Amino acid sequence: MESSMGQIPSDLPQDFTKIQIEKCHLAELLPGSFSRAGALEFLWLNFNEITVMSIGSLEGLANLTELRLQGNKLTSVPWAAFQHTPKLKILDLKNNSLDVVPENALRHLSALTYLDLSFNQLSIVSKEVFINWPLYRAAEKTWKKEGLISNVVLGLHNNPWLCDCRLKGFVEFTRMVSPPIILMNSYLMCSGPASKAGRFFHKTQLKTCMKPRASAVETNITLPLGEKATLTCFVTARPATSIQWMYNLKRLRQFAVTETHIDEDTVTSQLVIDSLHFADQGLYTCMANNFIGNASVNITVNISSVPPLPAPVPMLSSNENADIDIRITKQTVYGVMLEWSPATDNQAEIWFTIHFGKYDSPKKEMISIDPGINSYSLSDLLPITKYEVCLTLRNHPPREGRCIVFMTGSDISELEQRERLIHITVIVCAMVLAIPAGMFACTPEARCSCMNRCLDLWKEQTLHVEGKERQETFDSLEAASDKGMCTEDKPKKRRKSEERCTGSSAAHLY
């Protein structure tokens, strides 16, 4: 008692009939731990720290009649180990952490008359556990004839029983139990779900389990581009089911999904797309499954060809000339800073939309910009990735040639400066969004000449900067913010730039 014993001694006397080792910090019962003590009848190992019980730990105990393992840390028991203890009558497993009892757990305990599973973590148990018990299946006359104890005691109380359809058979079994089987505490109580928590078994009516059924009011949805879409499916199942959304056989992760319980068996699942892109068209599947089966319902999302009307907010009138010069002005640790300058008197009333994403991806993230804001930070950029960012009036799709394209470099050792972890190479230096048409703008077709022009302007500016350190790892940023970009300049310098890449035009007129 209360000694530090790491394991069972290997030199146990063969004539011991009772062993009591309690509060001795035993952590494991190894195979053959008591095989030398063949005469052992009583084994008490209460209040140790046993977490593992080997399937061969009871080998050689053919005369064992009582095994007590109260107050240990067992999460499971190798029930097949009891084939070595055919005379076992008392098994005490209370105050452990058992959460599962298999249907055939008691098949080797034909002589058992006392089983205590109270104060464990059992939530679901099948009634077959006890129906398959040899003592339950034997007739009462047989027990008396063979001189067995007429009463069989079961301790099942103080477990977190989950009273849903899976426990229906066990609840019914506890109601019809009668002598010679006796429940140590007949007032078994539900711990869940919330609607049944605290209710006694004998006052609980449980329904039969049911395979999921999935349905949807609308299975074909057509909405304008940029509109908010809400996909709703209804799932009825017993017990509760897990619901997943699939898009063209791929599991969805980027959209918000919410679930609402209508009643005990029915759940509403809603998938919300805040702003529809053309890439969002297709077949969406709401899938539900429980341990009985699964069900699904398909919802098709279409985008109408007519673009949505602009939001009812103040916009530019047709005679207003607003040149929005957008550029990359700063590189952060894992991103870049965008700035734009609308040359108009009512810029505080203009709403914009930023379209941002990977260059080759048809689906771009749409970011709404409130009036009066002229900068935005793009963060969490991936290395060695080509990106495209466009600025448009609110609810207008981006137009070709009105976007900035840039490439991120590879990761650099952490020993170097943090600001150099991502190296930005701007492919299209900047853009000018003209309203109305008629302004010069850099385009992807003018990529080479535009880059050369940026380089010339940057070289001119550096001649006037003395002693100023430039930590940015991309040289085209200062040029990108120059107002004279891709416009007329000194003829000699422009000719030098064009000679570097013949055949390219520096700008296009829209």
Side-chain angles (χ1 to χ4, degrees), residues 121-283:
Q121 296 299 315
L122 299 174
S123 58
I124 301 294
V125 168
S126 170
K127 68 177 180 179
E128 277 72 22
V129 172
F130 306 100
I131 292 178
N132 294 336
W133 188 7
L135 279 180
Y136 181 80
R137 297 166 61 181
E140 182 179 358
K141 292 181 180 180
T142 304
W143 299 348
K144 292 181 179 179
K145 181 179 179 180
E146 295 180 359
L148 298 177
I149 300 175
S150 60
N151 290 333
V152 178
V153 179
L154 283 176
L156 300 169
H157 52 283
N158 289 91
N159 280 284
W161 299 114
L162 181 60
C163 294
D164 62 19
C165 67
R166 290 169 292 181
L167 206 64
K168 177 179 172 63
F170 176 68
V171 170
E172 293 176 348
F173 168 79
T174 60
R175 288 177 185 161
M176 65 181 186
V177 163
S178 59
I181 295 180
I182 299 173
L183 290 179
M184 192 182 302
N185 184 342
S186 60
Y187 289 94
L188 302 183
M189 183 180 294
C190 302
S191 294
S195 60
K196 293 183 172 61
R199 188 179 301 179
F200 291 116
F201 276 21
H202 64 275
K203 294 183 178 180
T204 302
Q205 296 295 328
L206 298 179
K207 300 177 182 178
T208 304
C209 292
M210 178 178 63
K211 178 182 175 180
R213 295 197 305 263
S215 61
V217 176
E218 293 183 275
T219 57
N220 198 311
I221 299 174
T222 302
L223 292 170
L225 183 68
E227 193 78 6
K228 180 178 180 180
T230 301
L231 282 59
T232 304
C233 80
F234 301 91
V235 175
T236 301
R238 199 182 303 127
T241 178
S242 61
I243 301 176
Q244 294 180 352
W245 284 89
M246 309 286 287
Y247 172 54
N248 290 342
L249 301 181
K250 295 181 180 179
R251 186 175 178 181
L252 291 179
R253 297 183 184 274
Q254 65 269 38
F255 296 123
V257 176
T258 59
E259 293 184 6
T260 304
H261 288 266
I262 298 178
D263 55 40
E264 187 176 349
D265 301 328
T266 305
V267 177
T268 299
S269 180
Q270 288 189 324
L271 183 149
V272 178
I273 307 174
D274 290 327
S275 180
L276 278 175
H277 299 71
F278 283 112
D280 295 329
Q281 295 185 107
L283 186 67

Side-chain angles (χ1 to χ4, degrees), residues 11 164 188 329 392:
D11 56 348
D164 62 19
L188 302 183
T329 60
T392 68

Side-chain angles (χ1 to χ4, degrees), residues 461-474:
Q461 291 181 357
T462 54
L463 295 176
H464 302 287
V465 180
E466 297 180 2
K468 182 178 180 181
E469 294 183 359
R470 295 184 176 270
Q471 297 182 357
E472 290 80 7
T473 60
F474 49 103

Side-chain angles (χ1 to χ4, degrees), residues 402-413:
R402 302 296 174 88
C403 303
I404 294 177
V405 180
F406 62 91
M407 175 79 74
T408 57
S410 60
D411 289 337
I412 297 180
S413 170

